[in-house]
Amino acid sequence: MLIKRVKIFLNQHLLLLLILFIALLMRGQNITQPFIDAFSWRQASTAMMAENFFKNSWNIFYPEVNWTGAGPGYQGREFQTVSYLAAILYQVFGQHDHIGRMIAISFGLWGIFALYKLVLLVWDKKHALAAAAMMAILPGSAFIDRSFLPDPVMVSLTTTCMWLFVLYLYKQRTIYLVLAAISGGIGILTKLPGLIIAFPMLYAFISMYRNRGQADFLRIKP
């Protein structure tokens, strides 16, 4: 029975799995590379904050860097989702640069999956696969998704928020709205430009209820 279910799952999702595998290959190149590529200064700062959570203090509201001179190098930064996750993983696997890259890659792959599910809801499977494939192979996306930055987490979580919000509009189940709020809230706190998700959410809300109102009107029309 289990083997049969696995075969059915693979048959139904083979192309999506292939897209995710290609995305993984593109993002996983030179994963052990130190932070000397583009955005090296920002990646180094993120790594410093992860290191200081790991070695000094686990208070997520006091991110700290090492380049401010004597005394604690506290920074007024966004919510440290990425660096804090890295610090937790340092406890298990030790402090390595590739852990930060792996976190970014993981969120990047989830973001592709969330985009697929979102487009599948509002369009069809062909368009959903096309959208996922484009996100998977887009050079800028692949590059950012392998960098120790908050951006992959922000994009992934806000895309998940949009997917769950549209799912709520379709199914009217409160759990989807709650999960959308949690995902979107963490995504926006991780990096404030995630606020832009409010515009497509507003558009989806207006479109859905306008269409629903037209359908109700047609049902009661004499």
Side-chain angles (χ1 to χ4, degrees):
M1 180 63 71
L2 179 61
I3 296 176
K4 185 177 180 180
R5 288 182 178 178
V6 170
K7 286 182 178 179
I8 293 173
F9 176 83
L10 290 175
N11 288 334
Q12 292 177 342
H13 300 93
L14 183 60
L15 287 177
L16 176 61
L17 293 173
L18 179 61
I19 289 169
L20 291 173
F21 180 69
I22 292 172
L24 177 61
L25 290 180
M26 292 184 65
R27 288 154 176 76
Q29 298 181 57
N30 299 320
I31 194 173
T32 58
Q33 178 187 29
F35 302 126
I36 57 173
D37 47 348
F39 309 115
S40 56
W41 67 272
R42 185 63 174 85
Q43 293 187 80
S45 292
T46 306
M48 287 178 192
M49 289 182 281
E51 179 184 42
N52 284 305
F53 284 134
F54 174 56
K55 291 183 176 179
N56 298 329
S57 171
W58 285 98
N59 191 334
I60 196 171
F61 299 108
Y62 285 88
E64 183 180 355
V65 295
N66 301 334
W67 42 259
T68 58
Y74 298 132
Q75 294 276 290
R77 298 289 185 103
E78 62 273 342
F79 189 69
Q80 292 301 305
T81 310
V82 181
S83 57
Y84 207 78
L85 286 174
I88 292 172
L89 292 178
Y90 290 168
Q91 292 272 60
V92 181
F93 302 105
Q95 185 179 348
H96 304 286
D97 290 343
H98 67 266
I99 288 178
R101 295 191 186 275
M102 289 174 63
I103 292 172
I105 291 171
S106 299
F107 277 96
L109 293 177
W110 177 261
I112 294 170
F113 174 76
L115 179 64
Y116 168 83
K117 297 294 287 185
L118 171 60
V119 178
L120 187 64
L121 269 178
V122 299
W123 217 327
D124 56 35
K125 189 171 183 178
K126 288 183 179 179
H127 287 88
L129 288 170
M134 183 60 68
M135 181 64 84
I137 66 173
L138 203 65
S141 175
F143 181 78
I144 293 296
D145 283 353
R146 65 178 302 279
S147 303
F148 194 11
L149 299 170
D151 302 70
V153 178
M154 180 266 288
V155 172
S156 173
L157 292 180
T158 52
T159 304
T160 302
C161 171
M162 186 68 195
W163 161 36
L164 293 172
F165 180 71
V166 173
L167 192 59
Y168 163 74
L169 293 178
Y170 274 115
K171 296 186 177 293
Q172 294 293 299
R173 293 184 60 184
T174 306
I175 184 63
Y176 295 130
L177 184 61
V178 172
L179 292 174
I182 293 172
S183 176
I186 297 175
I188 292 168
L189 288 173
T190 299
K191 195 159 187 179
L192 286 179
L195 280 168
I196 199 171
I197 197 67
F199 293 104
M201 289 176 71
L202 179 62
Y203 175 80
F205 177 82
I206 293 172
S207 297
M208 179 68 71
Y209 277 89
R210 179 183 295 167
N211 293 336
R212 186 167 294 167
Q214 290 174 350
D216 291 341
F217 172 75
L218 290 174
R219 279 198 296 269
I220 65 175
K221 190 176 180 180

